[in-house]
């Protein structure tokens, strides 16, 4: 078993690295080596005032599945799902991320919502722990191998050393421990090694103290 854990980073728009470049490289690699691209999309907030977080995740879902052709079967989506039919939403059943833009809520598959958007379920999904999420949401997890790419897109608030969820926080130490186990291929008693992981984060303080989850030098907060 190889101990190599390749990192390919999708950075935020302010860093001027287009998402298409990295996805094209990943797609070419998996086509050549028989691997797959897995996606974990997470909006870690709730409430109407955090509208943008779920809108961003809905947008990412459509871009990845429609524009880039990633199978919805390989996409896991976590969002509280309290925006589309929120009483403050003047367009019931509609989520947009641009003025007069299309309804991004239409066609999106949400695997974990409401009380199932937690740090624990996030880590279980990431590590492929099906038993731990049995009976919760869709039960879908990431079953990646050393030939695969895993793209994690997390959008929410954060602080030094943590990222926030609707009811709870994911701390740097817990994430580091999980990623270390994934590198060693000793996750949930499976011997598969996660070789390539892609991470993209929009969160306050995302460049400060959040360790290997964020490979960014800029420290601007996103409000």
């Amino acid at each position: 078993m190889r101990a190599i854990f390749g990192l390919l980073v999708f950075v935020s728009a302010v860093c001027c690295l287009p998402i298409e470049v990295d996805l094209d490289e990943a797609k070419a690699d998996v086509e050549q080596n028989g691997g797959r691209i897995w996606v974990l999309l997470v909006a870690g907030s709730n409430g109407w005032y955090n509208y943008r977080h779920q809108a961003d995740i809905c947008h990412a879902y459509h871009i990845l599945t429609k524009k880039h052709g990633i199978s919805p079967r390989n996409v896991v989506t976590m969002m509280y799902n309290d925006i589309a039919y929120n009483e403050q939403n003047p367009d019931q059943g509609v989520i947009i991320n641009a003025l007069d833009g299309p309804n991004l809520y239409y066609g999106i598959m949400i695997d974990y919502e409401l009380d199932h958007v937690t740090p624990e379920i996030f880590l279980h999904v990431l590590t492929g722990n099906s038993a731990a999420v049995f009976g919760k949401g869709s039960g879908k997890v990431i079953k990646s191998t050393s030939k695969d790419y895993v793209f994690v897109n997390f959008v929410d608030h954060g602080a030094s050393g943590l990222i926030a969820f609707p009811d709870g926080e994911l701390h740097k130490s817990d994430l580091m421990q999980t990623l270390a186990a994934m590198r060693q291929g000793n996750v949930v008693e499976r011997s598969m090694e996660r070789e390539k992981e892609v991470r993209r984060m929009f969160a306050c303080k995302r460049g400060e103290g959040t360790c290997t989850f964020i490979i960014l030098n800029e420290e601007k907060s996103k409000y």
Side-chain angles (χ1 to χ4, degrees), residues 3-25:
I4 299 174
F5 189 74
L7 295 178
L8 177 62
V9 183
F10 290 177
V11 298
S12 61
V14 296
C15 294
C16 303
L17 179 62
I19 190 173
E20 288 81 3
V21 173
D22 294 318
L23 274 176
D24 287 343
E25 292 176 359

Side-chain angles (χ1 to χ4, degrees), residues 61-81:
Y61 181 93
H62 290 293
I63 289 293
L64 291 164
T65 58
K66 295 179 179 178
K67 182 175 181 179
H68 293 287
I70 296 176
S71 172
R73 292 176 297 180
N74 290 359
V75 179
V76 182
T77 304
M78 301 178 66
M79 54 185 275
Y80 204 80
N81 197 20

Side-chain angles (χ1 to χ4, degrees), residues 47-56 83 89 94-97:
W48 179 252
Y49 52 90
N50 285 317
Y51 182 107
R52 66 196 183 278
H53 297 149
Q54 294 184 49
D56 286 346
I83 297 299
N89 191 346
V94 174
I95 294 178
I96 60 176
N97 77 329

